[in-house]
């Protein structure tokens, strides 16, 4: 391959992430902002998991799936944000090439699993709205367990295929990755080998990984909307739709950000813009999911209110107890 000719052939084992390319004066501010976002994301999603696990009113497949989504979001931010924060520290810390590949691998597995889990959630809503009488027969704890397992296993298998190729690559062009995480395209550019096979395999896998869940989700929602529209009364319509409105918002945020990153950018989109788009995808989607469910979903709101009341009662009890002695 002519790419490797006349270049320095020392194999690179470490990368330096260039991050946002801002000067050192902005770094403390960015560090603080991302730290707050990280804590808020973990706390918000942790809260959802706690509610789903503790409140018996939420012991339904819909909320099991939501709890699993929150778990996934915690994993997701934990793959990126600690590394991003480390990158904003004054001392530049290089990242081993294998760790970079591993980050890319986990990123792939998690995004794939998220798309599939969102599809599973729409399937659950489809059954609830379009087949309400058969819902409990068709969807229960076991089925939702199988759906969750299916999401994880299939995304794991898909990404493993790509990564068998990726882990064999050697890098020798440069140490610097002009991004804040180990993204596929910037890494591939640094390889000194023929990358056509990897690129082909990864585009095929990415297309399958994006297309299949998208199609399943779309089909579910087309059925849901056509069923809802056939309900004669407005209140009935609103009631039927209210159980899936939070999910629909989360879904919209997810797909809009995915489309802005992978479809909109062309060769002449500025790099900065690309980074900002990826930031939305990586930072905003996990943060937004618990906010939407806590604000919009009646049952989650109710469960949260009860939880706070209980905590308050507990605290008062404690205080009374202390005061009597
Ligand atoms: C994930 O889903 C399984 C099966 O539906 C459920 O038993 C489990 O509680 C869920 N996990 C969370 C954190 O909600």
């Amino acid at each position: 391959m002519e790419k490797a000719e006349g270049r320095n052939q020392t194999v690179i084992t470490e990368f330096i992430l260039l991050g946002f390319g801002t000067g050192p004066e902005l770094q403390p501010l960015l560090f603080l902002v991302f730290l707050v976002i990280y804590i808020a994301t973990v706390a918000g999603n942790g809260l959802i998991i706690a509610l789903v696990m503790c409140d018996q009113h939420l012991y339904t497949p819909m909320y099991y799936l939501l709890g699993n989504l929150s778990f996934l979001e915690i994993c997701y931010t934990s793959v990126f944000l600690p590394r991003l924060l480390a990158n904003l520290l004054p001392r530049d810390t290089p990242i081993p090439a294998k760790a970079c590949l591993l980050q890319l691998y986990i990123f792939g597995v998690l995004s794939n699993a998220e798309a599939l889990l969102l599809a599973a959630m729409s399937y659950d809503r489809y059954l609830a709205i379009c087949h309400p009488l058969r819902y409990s027969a068709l969807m229960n704890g076991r089925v939702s367990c199988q759906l969750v397992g299916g999401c994880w296993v299939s995304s794991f298998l898909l990404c493993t295929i790509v990564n068998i190729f990726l882990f064999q690559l050697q890098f020798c062009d440069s140490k610097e990755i002009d991004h804040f995480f180990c993204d596929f395209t910037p890494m591939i550019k640094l390889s000194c080998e023929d990358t056509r096979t990897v690129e082909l395999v990864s585009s095929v896998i990415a297309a399958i990984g994006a297309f299949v869940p998208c199609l399943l989700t779309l089909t579910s929602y087309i059925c849901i909307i056509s069923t809802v529209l056939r309900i004669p009364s407005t209140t009935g319509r609103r009631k039927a739709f209210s159980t899936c409105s939070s999910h629909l918002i989360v879904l919209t945020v997810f797909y809009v950000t995915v489309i802005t990153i992978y479809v909109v950018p062309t060769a002449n989109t500025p790099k900065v813009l690309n980074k900002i788009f990826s930031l939305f995808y990586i930072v905003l989607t996990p943060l937004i999911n618990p906010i939407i469910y806590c604000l919009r979903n009646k049952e989650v709101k109710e469960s949260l209110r009860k939880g706070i009341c209980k905590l308050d009662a507990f605290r008062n009890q404690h205080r009374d107890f202390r005061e009597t002695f």
Side-chain angles (χ1 to χ4, degrees):
M1 195 63 214
E2 75 174 18
K3 202 178 157 190
E5 270 169 32
R7 298 263 176 123
N8 182 2
Q9 282 292 314
T10 21
V11 172
I12 284 169
T13 53
E14 280 182 339
F15 290 121
I16 292 170
L17 294 172
L18 294 185
F20 302 101
T22 54
E25 60 284 352
L26 256 181
Q27 302 225 350
L29 179 68
L30 284 178
F31 184 87
L32 206 67
V33 170
F34 287 121
L35 185 65
V36 170
I37 290 179
Y38 183 47
I39 293 172
T41 307
V42 173
N45 284 297
L47 180 69
I48 296 268
I49 294 176
L51 291 178
V52 170
M53 297 254 224
C54 298
D55 190 342
Q56 294 197 350
H57 293 104
L58 303 185
Y59 283 2
T60 63
M62 175 176 157
Y63 292 108
Y64 288 153
L65 294 175
L66 177 63
N68 278 282
L69 182 68
S70 283
F71 172 70
L72 202 148
E73 303 281 27
I74 291 180
C75 299
Y76 199 80
T77 37
S78 300
V79 172
F80 294 108
L81 276 175
R83 186 61 233 177
L84 183 62
L85 290 172
N87 223 39
L88 289 168
L89 289 175
R91 268 191 65 237
D92 218 1
T93 41
I95 170 169
K98 288 279 179 274
C100 229
L101 286 170
L102 191 65
Q103 188 186 42
L104 186 60
Y105 182 28
I106 301 174
F107 169 52
V109 173
L110 291 176
S111 358
N112 244 314
E114 179 165 4
L116 283 172
L117 202 54
L118 286 169
M121 290 169 87
S122 17
Y123 173 66
D124 165 69
R125 289 299 83 207
Y126 157 75
L127 289 181
I129 290 173
C130 303
H131 304 283
L133 299 179
R134 291 191 355 226
Y135 179 72
S136 50
L138 292 172
M139 178 60 89
N140 47 42
R142 213 191 65 228
V143 176
S144 71
C145 241
Q146 285 164 348
L147 283 175
V148 169
C151 292
W152 282 106
V153 170
S154 56
S155 38
F156 188 75
L157 287 180
L158 271 183
C159 292
T160 304
I161 297 174
V162 180
N163 277 269
I164 288 172
F165 291 93
L166 268 181
F167 271 87
Q168 286 167 354
L169 285 185
Q170 292 209 315
F171 303 93
C172 53
D173 266 4
S174 157
K175 258 183 171 223
E176 292 175 344
I177 296 181
D178 188 11
H179 213 306
F180 57 86
F181 74 98
C182 304
D183 201 5
F184 182 76
T185 324
M187 273 189 84
I188 283 289
K189 282 207 192 105
L190 301 182
S191 167
C192 38
E193 287 164 70
D194 186 356
T195 54
R196 277 173 301 185
T197 326
V198 190
E199 282 176 76
L200 181 68
V201 172
S202 77
S203 358
V204 171
I205 299 275
I208 296 171
F211 193 68
V212 171
C214 184
L215 199 69
L216 292 174
T217 310
L218 215 60
T219 316
S220 300
Y221 266 96
I222 289 172
C223 296
I224 289 174
I225 289 169
S226 69
T227 306
V228 168
L229 288 180
R230 262 184 275 130
I231 298 174
S233 74
T234 322
T235 42
R237 241 180 278 167
R238 198 169 298 148
K239 214 167 137 202
F241 205 65
S242 73
T243 58
C244 53
S245 65
S246 319
H247 177 243
L248 195 58
I249 297 174
V250 170
L251 207 62
T252 313
V253 171
F254 179 76
Y255 277 106
V256 166
T257 45
V258 169
I259 289 168
T260 42
I261 305 180
Y262 290 105
V263 183
V264 176
T266 52
N268 39 21
T269 321
K271 275 234 177 72
V272 181
L273 219 56
N274 260 334
K275 286 183 193 172
I276 293 175
F277 284 152
S278 336
L279 207 58
F280 275 121
Y281 181 52
I282 281 162
V283 170
L284 227 55
T285 4
L287 178 63
I288 245 163
N289 162 39
I291 296 178
I292 289 169
Y293 271 93
C294 286
L295 290 181
R296 281 200 57 97
N297 184 289
K298 254 208 322 246
E299 283 168 300
V300 173
K301 259 200 296 202
E302 180 63 19
S303 162
L304 190 60
R305 204 183 54 75
K306 271 188 309 202
I308 292 172
C309 287
K310 253 188 225 160
L311 213 64
D312 234 29
F314 180 73
R315 262 216 316 260
N316 287 340
Q317 224 175 29
H318 235 63
R319 207 184 45 214
D320 292 346
F321 182 75
R322 268 200 315 244
E323 279 166 4
T324 40
F325 287 97

